[in-house]
Amino acid sequence: MSLSELIKQNRSFRRFDQSFKIEEKTLRELIDLARYSASAANLQPLKYIISVDPAINERIFSCLAWAAYLKDWNGPEEGEKPTAYIVVMGDRSITDNFRCDHGIAAQSILLGAREIGLGGCMIASIHQRNLRSCLNIDPSHEVLLVIALGKPVEQVVLEQISADGNIRYWRDSNGVHHVPKRNLDQIIVSSYNCQA
Amino acid sequence: MSLSELIKQNRSFRRFDQSFKIEEKTLRELIDLARYSASAANLQPLKYIISVDPAINERIFSCLAWAAYLKDWNGPEEGEKPTAYIVVMGDRSITDNFRCDHGIAAQSILLGAREIGLGGCMIASIHQRNLRSCLNIDPSHEVLLVIALGKPVEQVVLEQISADGNIRYWRDSNGVHHVPKRNLDQIIVSSYNCQA
């Protein structure tokens, strides 16, 4: 699969086949992709907690807020919950400024997941205190993102943004999740192309 | 090529074949990869300026600081400079918090570049005032990163971090660029794997 295909298929998935188990080894392989990715000044301040343990997963799940734009939906129901989590932290003993390292890492991780038929979602809306307590997170480690993973069971389609500029994703009556994306010409503001 | 191979080959390159021209169309295709990538709350606040124009490239180049750890090197010499740039900005009229969107986008862009034999480097050490002036950047747009691109002419190798924990990259007498990476076991701090 080309990278372009992989990126297009790598949507933010929020409903999963909860009977599909993910192995710890798989999470380690995904973090290895992040490890090989760029880090500002090569500081590599990111640290990770991983879980494929159903009881711990349930506790992590209880610390997360899902899909803010879907007002009538409080997140995946039993049977459709994620079966693995990667908690992405910044180690303040290395630096106080993690810049966009967690974005680089999370993109590598989710592309890697998609390549093997998994999928997931980066979640930044986190009940920090509860999560820190339930995972015994070191005070020097800042929680930056939680990546929820599983075998997706929902269809996500991209669509062109409408004239009113509304970027809120929505779910239709068939449960299909629609995501409006800005056009290329709306995001490239200038182009200098005079070849000498 | 598998994603894992692509990520491993996608090093931060800083020396290029300056005779190799990159087309504007290629930059547009790379930004399309970023456009299809995740954005926090789907806000899509990132905007881009692209250049394949040698005169503009020279002005962008003059606003950048290169490879802070290589004290005797001020950046690529004439003949080895980047031949294209993507300036990644955050549009404050959309949000004030760009989270790690630029990391996600830049990783997609650089993986896409690597897939077609190009390479580059994310640069955050930027003379902001000069860059804003030379590219007429709108006051509402914050410059987050400059991605320098070209056809790489340097060899970059990864190596295991040494016992002293020094993460500074270095260049050997053959011009090979060495990048120490932390081990997987140094970055995964806990793993919960009790399968029910």
Side-chain angles (χ1 to χ4, degrees), chain A residues 33-53:
Chain A
L33 298 179
R35 188 172 78 84
Y36 282 115
S37 300
S39 167
N42 200 38
L43 290 173
Q44 307 166 70
L46 300 184
K47 301 287 173 76
Y48 302 88
I49 295 173
I50 59 182
S51 173
V52 292
D53 178 329

Side-chain angles (χ1 to χ4, degrees), chain A residues 1-4 6-8 10-12 21-24 27-29 31-56 60 69 89 94 99-109 111-113 115 122 124-125 134-136 141 145 158 161 167-169 179-196, chain B residues 1-4 6-8 10-12 21-24 27-29 31-56 60 69 89 94 99-109 111-113 115 122 124-125 134-136 141 145 158 161 167-169 179-196:
Chain A
M1 181 158 36
S2 72
L3 180 74
S4 169
L6 185 61
I7 285 177
K8 284 176 189 163
N10 180 38
R11 309 320 327 149
S12 292
K21 303 297 181 199
I22 296 178
E23 289 182 45
E24 180 192 6
L27 298 188
R28 291 178 61 87
E29 287 164 358
I31 291 173
D32 218 25
L33 298 179
R35 188 172 78 84
Y36 282 115
S37 300
S39 167
N42 200 38
L43 290 173
Q44 307 166 70
L46 300 184
K47 301 287 173 76
Y48 302 88
I49 295 173
I50 59 182
S51 173
V52 292
D53 178 329
I56 296 291
I60 297 173
Y69 297 142
M89 301 172 296
I94 297 174
R99 297 181 175 269
C100 61
D101 273 20
H102 45 308
I104 300 168
Q107 181 67 344
S108 291
I109 288 169
L111 289 174
E115 191 181 44
M122 302 180 205
S125 187
C134 107
L135 298 178
N136 287 308
H141 287 39
L145 283 175
L158 298 178
I161 199 168
I167 46 66
R168 292 172 175 238
Y169 45 75
V179 182
K181 286 289 186 188
R182 301 188 197 282
N183 305 327
L184 200 52
D185 289 326
Q186 293 172 323
I187 63 174
I188 299 178
V189 297
S190 313
S191 174
Y192 298 95
N193 62 355
C194 170
Q195 298 274 7
Chain B
M1 180 160 33
S2 72
L3 181 73
S4 170
L6 185 61
I7 285 177
K8 285 175 190 164
N10 181 38
R11 309 318 329 148
S12 292
K21 303 298 181 199
I22 295 178
E23 289 183 45
E24 179 192 6
L27 298 188
R28 291 178 61 88
E29 287 164 359
I31 292 172
D32 217 26
L33 299 178
R35 188 172 79 84
Y36 281 115
S37 300
S39 167
N42 199 38
L43 290 173
Q44 307 165 69
L46 300 184
K47 300 288 173 77
Y48 303 88
I49 295 173
I50 59 181
S51 173
V52 291
D53 178 329
I56 297 293
I60 297 174
Y69 298 141
M89 301 172 295
I94 297 173
R99 298 181 175 270
C100 60
D101 273 20
H102 44 310
I104 301 168
Q107 180 67 341
S108 291
I109 287 170
L111 289 174
E115 190 182 43
M122 302 181 205
S125 187
C134 108
L135 298 177
N136 286 309
H141 287 39
L145 283 176
L158 299 178
I161 199 168
I167 46 66
R168 290 173 177 240
Y169 46 76
V179 182
K181 286 289 187 188
R182 300 187 197 282
N183 305 326
L184 200 52
D185 288 327
Q186 293 173 321
I187 62 173
I188 300 179
V189 297
S190 312
S191 175
Y192 298 93
N193 62 353
C194 170
Q195 296 275 7

